[in-house]
Amino acid sequence: MKDKVFCFGRFGNLMRWLAVSQGSQLLRKAASIAAVFLLMELMLLLMMGDYDNPWVIEFMMGMCAATYFFIVLSFFSGYLGGMRDKRKRVGMLMLPATNAEKFVAMFVWTVVIGAVAALVSMAVADTLRWGICQLLRWHTSFGTGMEYFLTNICPMRAFGANRFSSVSAVGMASAVLFNVWLVWHCSLFMLVGTLFRRMPTFMSFVVSASLFLVGMYCFSFVSDSIFAWLDGSDIHMTTFAYVFSAALVAEGLLNVWLSYRLFCRLTVGGGRWLNF
């Protein structure tokens, strides 16, 4: 294995091993997510009563899209979930593969395949909600809401559907900044999830909230100067958005690299709270 850092043959064997050892866990998780989405949709419809305005389903799908994003964040922070206890960790560390192959395999299985499974769960839940409404003749004017849901989770939703040519430079820069900020959050959750062994998702939210408060405190000292520089200048606002986006991209890549370096230092034992 010293001749190659990453071999697709070994990576494929790793993915098959994960499918066999953690496939049932993924199915249970997908079923739980579908149940959560179904209950959320039914509860929101109950809160709306007999109000059949089209914006109701748009609001409902917006709430589901926000929930989906938090679920994906939990996947990023919990991508080492298959290595939490000692037995599973020994099994993973003893596999004939490099650290790079194991790191990518755990990420693909937990985050990528998990996100796809959650998307399928949402489609199943929305179809069940539609079927229940049709059987009960309740909110029958609402069809399936997947179109609205996919619009809400579209990375460039801020541009608007089929309106790229009409978006201003400031609007496009703001959309890029917002989406880069979301991706940066994912990398932060991944780093914190690599560091903490217990409650990685909760600790990720704590770290994220702490960084936000510290950032707002530091920003308060320079906010007047920045707002004065941005006021009334599209060029300045666009430049600020793209420079800030570039900084977030660089910091996000650093988070992923640090996650990998920490992953390479995983041991069988580990601490009570930390993975080391």
Side-chain angles (χ1 to χ4, degrees), residues 162-221:
N162 300 321
R163 292 190 294 110
F164 291 97
S165 60
S166 63
V167 177
S168 64
V170 175
M172 184 176 295
S174 301
V176 171
L177 175 59
F178 176 73
N179 287 279
V180 169
W181 177 76
L182 293 179
V183 174
W184 171 82
H185 255 86
C186 293
S187 71
L188 176 65
F189 272 58
M190 186 177 185
L191 176 59
V192 178
T194 309
L195 182 63
F196 285 94
R197 183 175 187 174
R198 299 186 62 184
M199 297 190 294
T201 301
F202 174 76
M203 297 305 300
S204 297
F205 278 110
V206 171
V207 172
S208 177
S210 301
L211 289 177
F212 175 78
L213 293 176
V214 172
M216 288 296 98
Y217 177 75
C218 296
F219 180 74
S220 64
F221 292 100

Side-chain angles (χ1 to χ4, degrees), residues 29-268:
K29 186 181 296 185
S32 301
I33 293 173
V36 168
F37 278 129
L38 178 60
L39 290 175
M40 178 184 297
E41 291 192 28
L42 294 177
M43 289 296 294
L44 288 171
L45 288 179
L46 283 172
M47 291 172 60
M48 297 299 176
D50 295 328
Y51 196 56
D52 277 348
N53 195 291
W55 69 266
V56 172
I57 193 169
E58 296 185 27
F59 172 77
M60 183 171 65
M61 290 299 107
M63 294 294 292
C64 290
T67 304
Y68 177 79
F69 175 69
F70 284 113
I71 290 173
V72 172
L73 280 179
S74 71
F75 290 161
F76 271 92
S77 62
Y79 80 102
L80 292 181
M83 299 176 65
R84 293 302 176 197
D85 60 68
K86 186 175 181 179
R87 180 180 61 84
K88 293 180 179 179
R89 183 170 298 201
V90 170
M92 174 58 76
L93 293 178
M94 292 297 291
L95 290 174
T98 63
N99 286 327
E101 292 159 358
K102 295 173 184 177
F103 179 77
V104 175
M106 293 292 291
F107 175 80
V108 171
W109 175 260
T110 306
V111 178
V112 179
I113 297 180
V116 173
L119 190 62
V120 173
S121 298
M122 175 59 205
V124 171
D126 191 57
T127 302
L128 289 175
R129 186 268 311 163
W130 175 83
I132 292 173
C133 290
Q134 294 299 316
L135 288 174
L136 299 178
R137 298 192 179 279
W138 176 57
H139 289 292
T140 56
S141 62
F142 295 155
T144 58
M146 285 304 295
E147 179 182 356
Y148 298 105
F149 178 80
L150 294 174
T151 301
N152 277 282
I153 66 173
C154 176
M156 287 305 181
R157 181 177 181 271
F159 288 156
N162 300 321
R163 292 190 294 110
F164 291 97
S165 60
S166 63
V167 177
S168 64
V170 175
M172 184 176 295
S174 301
V176 171
L177 175 59
F178 176 73
N179 287 279
V180 169
W181 177 76
L182 293 179
V183 174
W184 171 82
H185 255 86
C186 293
S187 71
L188 176 65
F189 272 58
M190 186 177 185
L191 176 59
V192 178
T194 309
L195 182 63
F196 285 94
R197 183 175 187 174
R198 299 186 62 184
M199 297 190 294
T201 301
F202 174 76
M203 297 305 300
S204 297
F205 278 110
V206 171
V207 172
S208 177
S210 301
L211 289 177
F212 175 78
L213 293 176
V214 172
M216 288 296 98
Y217 177 75
C218 296
F219 180 74
S220 64
F221 292 100
V222 295
S223 58
D224 292 339
S225 300
I226 292 178
F227 285 134
W229 183 70
L230 295 176
D231 186 33
S233 175
D234 289 353
I235 296 179
H236 288 176
M237 286 187 284
T238 303
T239 302
F240 175 81
Y242 283 126
V243 169
F244 196 33
S245 297
L248 288 177
V249 168
E251 211 277 327
L253 293 175
L254 177 62
N255 288 341
V256 175
W257 181 79
L258 290 175
S259 299
Y260 172 70
R261 298 304 302 171
L262 289 174
F263 179 86
C264 293
R265 296 185 59 187
L266 287 178
T267 58
V268 174

